[in-house]
């Protein structure tokens, strides 16, 4: 006989927060449901490791709740296959278990939040939505701090957050007398620095069964499959990774947070892709760890190890979480759903097919994409200034860029992906997120990486056949959008340099860019 419950609570795959108030008391009359869903595995083609990580973490969380005495129903793709979508599954479970009240945590994707809102509006039983209790800012605070369509600036928001939550403050002033040490955190990795990069802490989860389910249900995935999942899937493991980061990576995190390298790793070391980054974004975005816990841990290590960890290192890390992460969430929620349609630069070109294969002669793109396909991960500068920059200056249609980023990265959930991609990276929002377009020539790549050293193309050339394509594409982009950016103080010098060129020199650059765009599949 099927058990009956008076209350059903839904836990989504990115709501694995063991500290949520739901779990403070054990109630045998409440059923928690955690379900692998075809609709979530298939709304874009996801990286296979991303699907495995979420499914493995959901399974582990279900087991943890059961061990804590809660009633949990964990459903796999095999169980949910008969149901067309989440509402159909929920309707069935409510009927099957005689449920009299349905509760859920507010989803962090607009699509899901709308779906559950529509579903509960027609339910014949009581329903209730609660906060996920994860972020620094509550749902109500977002509408106070952000305004739809307004151009917001992260630095001003970040300073308010530091004051509001008393993070790295001396009274009313920032520790060290300045808010931001970004200017100190733009070092390139030299050969001797790469030798000192710590070998990353990796985990080993056998996901053979999950891979079989993905194949059995014909879920379309991208990227390199691996039966040995390297990512943390429990709070214990995520805390191990946090401690590892604070002990071994934080002392150099800020200094090298923008650096990139394509140097081949020593056999078995595999540290070129991780560098000094925390790789906590999956644990954070699935809510296994809370941002406050992560920030507090980093600051604790800074205070207890002042000879090893400088203020510039910890500030750069704190800014990414208490500043950028919370800022991006606010931008997303006050501007959706219109935000997902913005295309202020009228970009229409198709994304090259080599974004799914890394089969390109451009060393920087090859390394960043290959790493993404291999690990479902790339750090923020690879995303913004390598793949993102190429898409921006090539005029790739933003929806295609969004789908690629949303699918390929293990930490990509729309609330965090969309403003970063469509806003910060592609400037498709017209400046709501960023004060300028993050466009760059090959010189930036040379400055921040060693990618150019063994590239098929020559970074010092612009118009020749073997010239770095980024150079002409950059000038073509800036020339095309002079009306958009010519009045921006941050690009005034760029246009001054462009206008020093003769008409013949300009035309040679634009012709080279046109040839590169025409042959974009062969670059």
């Amino acid at each position: 006989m099927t058990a009956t419950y008076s209350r059903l609570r839904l836990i989504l795959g990115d709501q694995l927060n063991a500290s949520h108030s739901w779990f403070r008391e054990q109630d045998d009359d409440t059923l928690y449901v955690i379900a692998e869903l075809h609709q979530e595995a298939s709304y874009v083609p996801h990286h296979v490791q991303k699907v495995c990580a979420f499914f493995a973490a959901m399974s582990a969380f279900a087991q943890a709740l059961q061990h804590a005495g809660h009633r949990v129903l964990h459903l796999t793709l095999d169980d949910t296959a008969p149901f067309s979508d989440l509402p159909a599954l929920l309707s069935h479970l409510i009927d099957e278990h005689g449920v009299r009240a349905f509760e859920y945590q507010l989803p962090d994707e607009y699509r899901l939040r709308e779906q559950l809102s529509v579903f509960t509006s027609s339910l014949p039983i009581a329903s209730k939505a609660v906060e996920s209790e994860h972020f620094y800012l509550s749902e109500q605070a977002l509408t106070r701090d952000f305004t739809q369509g307004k151009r917001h600036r992260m630095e001003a928001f970040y300073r308010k957050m530091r004051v509001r939550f008393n993070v790295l403050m001396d009274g009313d002033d920032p520790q060290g007398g300045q808010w931001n040490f970004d200017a100190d955190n733009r070092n390139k990795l030299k050969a001797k620095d790469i030798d000192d990069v710590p070998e990353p802490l990796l985990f080993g989860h056998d996901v053979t069964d999950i891979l079989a389910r993905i194949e059995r249900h014909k879920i379309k995935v991208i990227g390199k499959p691996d039966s040995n999942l390297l990512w943390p899937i429990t709070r214990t493991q995520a805390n191990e990774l946090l401690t590892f980061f604070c002990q071994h990576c934080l002392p150099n995190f800020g200094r090298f947070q923008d650096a990139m390298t394509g140097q081949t790793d020593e056999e078995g070391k595999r540290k070129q892709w991780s560098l000094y980054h925390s790789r906590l974004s999956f644990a954070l975005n699935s809510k296994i760890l809370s941002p406050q816990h992560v920030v507090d841990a980093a600051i604790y290590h800074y205070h207890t190890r002042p000879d090893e960890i400088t203020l510039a290192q910890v500030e750069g890390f704190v800014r990414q979480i208490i500043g950028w992460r919370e800022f991006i969430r606010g931008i997303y929620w006050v501007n959706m759903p219109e935000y997902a349609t913005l295309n202020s630069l009228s970009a229409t070109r198709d994304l090259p097919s080599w974004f799914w294969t890394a089969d390109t002669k451009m060393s920087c793109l090859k390394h960043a994409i290959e790493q993404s396909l291999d690990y479902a991960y790339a750090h923020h500068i690879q995303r913004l200034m390598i793949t993102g920059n190429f898409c921006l200056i090539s005029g790739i249609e933003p929806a295609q860029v969004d789908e690629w980023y949303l699918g390929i990265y293990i930490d990509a959930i729309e609330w965090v992906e969309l403003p970063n991609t469509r806003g910060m990276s592609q400037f498709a929002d017209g400046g709501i997120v960023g004060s300028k377009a993050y466009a760059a020539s090959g010189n930036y790549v040379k400055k921040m990486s060693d990618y150019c050293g063994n590239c098929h193309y020559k970074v010092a050339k612009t118009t020749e056949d073997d010239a770095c394509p980024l150079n002409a594409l950059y000038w073509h982009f800036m020339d095309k959008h002079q009306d958009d950016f010519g009045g921006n103080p941050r690009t005034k010098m760029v246009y001054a340099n462009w206008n020093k060129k003769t008409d013949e020199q300009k035309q040679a650059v634009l012709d080279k860019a046109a040839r590169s765009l025409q042959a974009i599949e062969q670059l």
Side-chain angles (χ1 to χ4, degrees), residues 156-354:
F157 170 82
Y158 168 56
R159 294 182 184 190
K160 288 197 298 183
M161 291 288 286
R162 290 267 298 272
V163 172
R164 185 181 304 181
F165 294 99
N166 192 28
V167 176
L168 294 176
M169 298 294 295
D170 284 328
D172 295 331
D173 300 314
Q175 287 185 19
Q178 66 188 73
W179 295 98
N180 188 315
F181 290 84
D182 194 39
D184 300 330
N185 292 340
R186 297 170 183 167
N187 289 21
K188 179 177 180 175
L189 285 161
K190 300 181 176 64
K192 62 181 180 61
D193 298 320
I194 294 173
D195 291 338
D196 295 332
V197 172
E199 187 176 345
L201 173 64
L202 305 176
F203 299 86
H205 304 289
D206 185 355
V207 291
T208 305
D209 289 347
I210 296 176
L211 288 170
R213 282 205 300 280
I214 292 170
E215 184 175 357
R216 186 161 63 246
H217 291 276
K218 296 181 170 55
I219 303 296
K220 183 180 179 182
V221 291
I222 58 177
K224 177 185 175 183
D226 193 334
S227 59
N228 188 48
L229 183 70
L230 305 179
W231 296 87
I233 62 169
T234 67
R235 186 159 60 167
T236 297
Q237 292 171 352
N239 273 311
E240 287 178 27
L241 186 57
L242 172 59
T243 300
F244 177 89
F245 166 72
C246 291
Q247 289 180 341
H248 301 287
C249 301
L250 187 56
N252 279 310
F253 169 78
R255 187 172 293 112
F256 296 118
Q257 65 177 312
D258 289 359
M260 299 169 284
T261 180
Q263 288 198 23
T264 304
D265 285 332
E266 296 176 47
E267 185 68 28
K269 290 292 179 72
R270 294 198 292 187
K271 60 184 186 178
Q272 176 258 105
W273 67 286
S274 57
L275 301 178
Y276 288 98
H277 295 275
S278 72
R279 296 178 294 111
L280 290 167
S281 51
F282 171 72
L284 277 165
N285 293 354
S286 59
K287 301 184 180 63
I288 294 172
L289 291 183
S290 79
Q292 183 172 342
H293 174 68
V294 171
V295 167
D296 288 349
I299 292 174
Y300 170 79
H301 278 262
Y302 160 62
H303 285 316
T304 55
R305 297 158 58 203
D307 294 337
E308 300 174 67
I309 303 171
T310 67
L311 179 57
Q313 312 310 309
V314 74
E315 186 278 321
F317 182 66
V318 166
R319 184 172 2 112
Q320 288 191 358
I321 298 176
I322 198 173
W324 192 251
R325 189 170 184 266
E326 297 282 330
F327 176 75
I328 283 297
R329 174 175 172 249
I331 293 292
Y332 177 82
W333 279 113
V334 299
N335 288 291
M336 285 297 284
E338 293 81 9
Y339 197 87
T341 68
L342 298 180
N343 187 2
S344 69
L345 300 181
S346 302
T348 58
R349 189 165 281 106
D350 287 336
L351 191 68
S353 61
W354 42 261

Side-chain angles (χ1 to χ4, degrees), residues 378-390:
H379 72 67
H380 64 286
I381 294 298
Q382 291 174 305
R383 300 187 200 195
L384 176 64
M385 300 306 301
I386 303 298
T387 49
N389 175 58
F390 177 84

